[in-house]
Amino acid sequence: MSFNLSWQLIAASLLFFLSVKYVTGRRAKLPPGPSRLPLLGSLHKLPPSSVQKKFLEWGQEYGSDIIYVKLLRKRTIVLNTIEAARDLLDKRSAKYSDRPSMILHSDMIGQEAALVSMPYGDRFRRHRKWMYDGVGNKDKLRSYQDLQREGVNNLLRNLLNDPHEFLDHVHLYFANIMLQITYGRRVTSLQDELVQAGERSVEGANGLGGPGAQLVDLGFPLLQHIPSWFPGAQFKRDALRVREYVRIWKNLGYDLLAAEMATDTAVPCIYTSILAEFGGSPPSDVLDDVKGLPPLNVYGAGVETSRGTLSTWFLHLVRNPHMLCKAQEEIDRVIGNARLPEFGDRESLPYLNALLEETYRWSPILPNAVPHRVTVDDQYRGYDIPAGSTVIANTWAMTRDTRFYTDPEEFRPERFIVPDEKKDELLMPSSFVFGFGRRVCPGQALADPSLWLAMANIVALFDIKKAVDKAGNEITPPIVFLPGFTSQPAPFTCQVIPRSEKAAAMIAQLDV
Ligand code: HEM
């Protein structure tokens, strides 16, 4: 009897062992992707810039819109179509809303309060709520319309007085909006101390390379502890320098506002609302979050993205004068020239809307959006997606999808002007260039109308022409984008000239 029992026990254990081995030990069926070398994975096959193009090429080569790329120790899944991104990042957002490790851009430079790199969880939820209250809530957004209008008036005045510096004026327009809504601070110059502190930090962080793309984030987190004097630890020395910029930036805004609150002179803004939540003095465990939200999540995330988009729009208008004429003709016909375009006019200006959509599409400011991370093992279209994988929505590939956009390399706003019955077939870029699921950009409802109002008013009042060289030849600015996490056009020249004397007089009379 005991002999039988032992045998049964042994047989049962063996069966259990085999079944566990079968279930957990089978080789994962990963999506197709480039071949890998030991240790390196496919890192050596990635170009130094424009990786989004390589991701799309691999998708085409392996006949799949979802591909697997191993980068050192990091498993990466790239989604090249809107369907794959929506299926996973939107519909399964409970699993796909974490962020991969971005130690360098977060902990090492003191940006733990930056949502963009924050892990999914309670802290994330608190920041998302603050962002919603500050820039997502409809009443709040309506209350910003006056300051957006005033910002556009300033932009128009600056373009009139100093047209050569149009890119700086675009920059100031967005910097002012973000600083007004966060600190209640109206800025009229890029020399403002808060702008300077912000730009130094943002530039410093950009100089460290794309978030999540350094050794320390590709499976070697211990490198963050390497002493800064260690040979080859330049990244650590750079990180410490940027950390100091960020520290100054966060404290500067907080101190300015605290002083104003002490003298009852603070203008109501996102910061005053958050401070009020804590009776004016946040406990030490949330202080860094409170200090970090305005600079990191509004200014840092909002200015570069928005100004890059408006600068790119300028570039396309300089290169395509007939598009400016068409937009001016539409505004003259619908609004006339006795008043300036306002938010309420948007629905009646389809061509201008199409210009904005085509700008979003042609060069999405974040071509790879921001990587997500899947927290549990998952399966999709018969492929295994291992827990912990980085998941990249290749928005750039989506903008090149010929099922939706014929001749995708052509800048052609007309592609969005179709009869009503065909509208449902359109894939509007604004529906995906701001990202997906629970991590979708919280600033879209602020950025999009700010862009639109500026565009409508510039078109109504200015001609944008090619600059002319000394020999009188027109200079067509080339399409060149700077390397970096965001797609910023390289500086270019053009002429920004009031359309008429009446237009110039109108600008001179604006309230600024
Ligand atoms: C043209 C303008 C903008 C574009 C195209 C843009 C695009 C994006 C994209 C693609 C993401 C990543 C979404 C994802 O992970 O799926 C993102 C995240 C984010 N954006 Fe924007 N953005 C813009 C303007 C703004 C503005 C004005 C603000 C602030 C007022 C802002 C704040 C943020 C923040 C805080 C995140 C991180 C969200 C999170 O991780 O949960 N963005 N944005």
Side-chain angles (χ1 to χ4, degrees):
M1 186 71 182
S2 67
F3 175 81
N4 263 348
L5 190 66
S6 312
W7 267 110
Q8 279 171 28
L9 272 175
I10 291 170
S13 311
L14 198 64
L15 262 178
F16 178 73
F17 172 77
L18 285 175
S19 62
V20 167
K21 181 159 171 53
Y22 176 75
V23 172
T24 59
R26 78 181 168 81
R27 277 182 79 84
K29 188 183 171 212
L30 296 165
S35 59
R36 307 185 271 280
L37 290 176
L39 297 177
L40 268 186
S42 309
L43 191 65
H44 59 297
K45 297 194 166 183
L46 270 189
S49 61
S50 300
V51 291
Q52 67 275 10
K53 296 184 182 168
K54 193 74 199 167
F55 287 153
L56 177 56
E57 253 175 62
W58 278 334
Q60 287 160 346
E61 189 178 335
Y62 299 107
S64 170
D65 62 342
I66 146 165
I67 54 167
Y68 176 77
V69 187
K70 183 104 185 272
L71 301 172
L72 294 179
R73 298 171 65 184
K74 200 165 207 168
R75 298 169 142 178
T76 304
I77 307 282
V78 181
L79 312 175
N80 277 333
T81 59
I82 188 76
E83 289 85 357
R86 285 189 177 151
D87 283 348
L88 298 184
L89 306 183
D90 284 347
K91 295 184 190 149
R92 300 186 195 174
S93 63
K95 301 175 184 170
Y96 284 83
S97 295
D98 200 10
R99 292 283 190 217
S101 146
M102 299 186 198
I103 297 170
L104 182 59
H105 279 261
S106 172
D107 313 40
M108 287 183 72
I109 60 170
Q111 291 201 148
E112 294 90 338
L115 255 174
V116 88
S117 52
M118 194 178 286
Y120 190 62
D122 287 343
R123 190 179 192 187
F124 158 85
R125 277 184 276 275
R126 177 164 66 213
H127 276 267
R128 290 290 305 201
K129 182 182 176 301
W130 282 339
M131 288 302 286
Y132 174 77
D133 292 345
V135 296
N137 169 307
K138 283 213 169 77
D139 292 336
K140 252 310 157 47
L141 288 164
R142 215 167 296 119
S143 77
Y144 295 150
Q145 290 189 348
D146 284 350
L147 67 88
Q148 286 166 308
R149 174 74 254 175
E150 188 195 87
V152 168
N153 291 354
N154 263 309
L155 172 63
L156 297 170
R157 181 71 67 80
N158 288 338
L159 289 172
L160 178 72
N161 293 341
D162 188 10
H164 296 296
E165 301 304 328
F166 67 102
L167 290 174
D168 278 355
H169 304 326
V170 164
H171 187 172
L172 179 63
Y173 169 59
F174 290 107
N176 174 53
I177 291 180
M178 302 308 158
L179 289 176
Q180 281 215 59
I181 64 174
T182 46
Y183 299 104
R185 184 177 175 101
R186 187 169 180 269
V187 292
T188 53
S189 157
L190 289 177
Q191 298 314 312
D192 178 275
E193 58 182 331
L194 265 176
V195 177
Q196 290 281 307
E199 292 307 319
R200 197 170 58 159
S201 305
V202 172
E203 268 174 34
N206 286 346
L208 300 174
Q214 289 74 27
L215 274 183
V216 65
D217 289 314
L218 292 174
F220 302 95
L222 289 179
L223 282 177
Q224 68 185 295
H225 304 298
I226 202 169
S228 53
W229 50 261
F230 203 75
Q234 186 60 41
F235 80 100
K236 178 82 183 250
R237 294 187 280 278
D238 291 343
L240 287 174
R241 181 175 42 84
V242 177
R243 187 181 179 84
E244 181 57 9
Y245 297 161
V246 173
R247 189 190 63 76
I248 294 170
W249 185 27
K250 288 190 296 194
N251 286 333
L252 185 63
Y254 185 78
D255 294 344
L256 284 171
L257 208 89
E260 286 174 6
M261 285 179 85
T263 52
D264 252 350
T265 51
V267 176
C269 56
I270 294 179
Y271 224 163
T272 53
S273 310
I274 297 178
L275 283 173
E277 207 177 302
F278 299 102
S281 58
S284 56
D285 59 328
V286 287
L287 187 59
D288 190 55
D289 284 358
V290 172
K291 282 185 179 181
L293 179 114
L296 305 177
N297 294 334
V298 180
Y299 191 98
V303 173
E304 210 180 323
T305 43
S306 307
R307 85 167 158 123
T309 306
L310 192 55
S311 307
T312 303
W313 175 82
F314 257 97
L315 178 62
H316 286 299
L317 285 194
V318 184
R319 293 174 54 89
N320 299 288
H322 65 285
M323 294 182 189
L324 177 66
C325 289
K326 223 167 155 175
Q328 287 175 333
E329 180 281 318
E330 180 179 71
I331 287 192
D332 293 348
R333 180 168 38 81
V334 174
I335 298 178
N337 53 16
R339 69 169 179 89
L340 293 180
E342 293 299 346
F343 287 113
D345 297 314
R346 189 160 180 175
E347 289 292 299
S348 1
L349 298 170
Y351 187 76
L352 193 70
N353 263 326
L355 259 177
L356 174 55
E357 287 290 342
E358 185 65 345
T359 306
Y360 283 143
R361 185 195 71 83
W362 202 87
S363 52
I365 195 80
L366 289 165
N368 286 303
V370 178
H372 292 219
R373 177 177 176 274
V374 55
T375 45
V376 291
D377 283 336
D378 198 17
Q379 286 211 321
Y380 181 60
R381 300 211 200 124
Y383 296 121
D384 289 315
I385 301 186
S389 302
T390 295
V391 182
I392 294 180
N394 185 356
T395 24
W396 183 83
M398 297 169 205
T399 66
R400 293 320 189 247
D401 191 330
T402 49
R403 292 173 305 154
F404 301 105
Y405 312 116
T406 44
D407 304 323
E409 286 308 324
E410 277 183 30
F411 186 86
R412 196 197 294 155
E414 288 76 8
R415 64 176 82 246
F416 297 109
I417 301 197
V418 296
D420 280 351
E421 64 276 14
K422 294 242 170 209
K423 285 215 161 106
D424 287 349
E425 291 165 28
L426 287 177
L427 175 59
M428 300 309 268
S430 54
S431 72
F432 65 89
V433 298
F434 288 89
F436 297 92
R438 297 181 195 185
R439 303 300 300 223
V440 71
C441 174
Q444 177 169 6
L446 176 73
D448 179 76
S450 304
L451 285 162
W452 184 85
L453 193 69
M455 290 173 182
N457 281 270
I458 293 169
V459 166
L461 293 169
F462 287 98
D463 283 327
I464 302 172
K465 296 186 172 170
K466 291 179 184 169
V468 185
D469 67 16
K470 284 192 186 128
N473 302 314
E474 283 187 339
I475 307 167
T476 301
I479 294 193
V480 179
F481 285 88
L482 300 172
F485 184 49
T486 57
S487 265
Q488 300 285 338
F492 57 94
T493 53
C494 68
Q495 302 184 67
V496 185
I497 310 163
R499 285 178 74 192
S500 62
E501 280 182 18
K502 187 175 173 197
M506 235 170 150
I507 300 169
Q509 282 161 18
L510 288 171
D511 282 340
V512 291

